[in-house]
Amino acid sequence: MAALFMDRYSPLRTRTIALVGLMGVGKTSVGRRLATVLELPFRDADVEVEAAAGRSIPEIFADLGEPAFREGERRVISRLLDEPPHILATGGGAFVSDETRALIKAKAVSVWLKADLDVLAKRLARKDNRPLLTGRDPKEVLQQQAEARYRYYGEADVTIETSDAAHQVSVDQVIEAVSAYIESQPK
């Protein structure tokens, strides 16, 4: 029986699954759980950018600015997409870059995790590690980002409407939607 259970996920292990969406939507939390269920490695683009730069994202933003961060992010994501299939949590702004979005679309299945802005603002109010929120109202920043980014996120292969439910609910939604997407693709 275990062999049948494992075979069900085989199609999901052929390409990287890249999670995109606004900060606080759960790309890392859902991504880690998804990787565990699918028995795939998990990669967090933000962690990989920090490792490559030898400094934190807030330090990169403060010292070099957002354009330098985005260029480093693009290079790191490009490198990660050349690795065997895995689950990739991207930074909130990564998919906005035409070049990064094209890389993801060519080499991965992209999944937009989308949540109500009030839910996200509540989550983000509990954290202080987001450089784009420093000294600003989280809801206002999220509203501005939604207006600027949703049109790009809308190009993702799959969209999952998440809520304040347990992350496992989102994991199950991603598995179901990516499975349907893969099945719908020409063989």
Side-chain angles (χ1 to χ4, degrees), residues 92-119:
F95 207 64
V96 174
S97 159
D98 292 338
E99 197 171 347
T100 302
R101 191 170 58 259
L103 284 167
I104 291 171
K105 289 181 86 45
K107 297 182 177 186
V109 175
S110 53
V111 177
W112 175 15
L113 297 180
K114 183 179 181 184
D116 182 85
L117 297 183
D118 289 324
V119 170

Side-chain angles (χ1 to χ4, degrees), residues 52-75:
R55 59 177 98 180
S56 71
I57 290 174
E59 290 171 334
I60 297 168
F61 266 74
D63 297 345
L64 305 173
E66 186 173 0
F69 169 76
R70 295 294 172 207
E71 175 55 24
E73 179 180 58
R74 183 201 56 76
R75 287 193 312 265

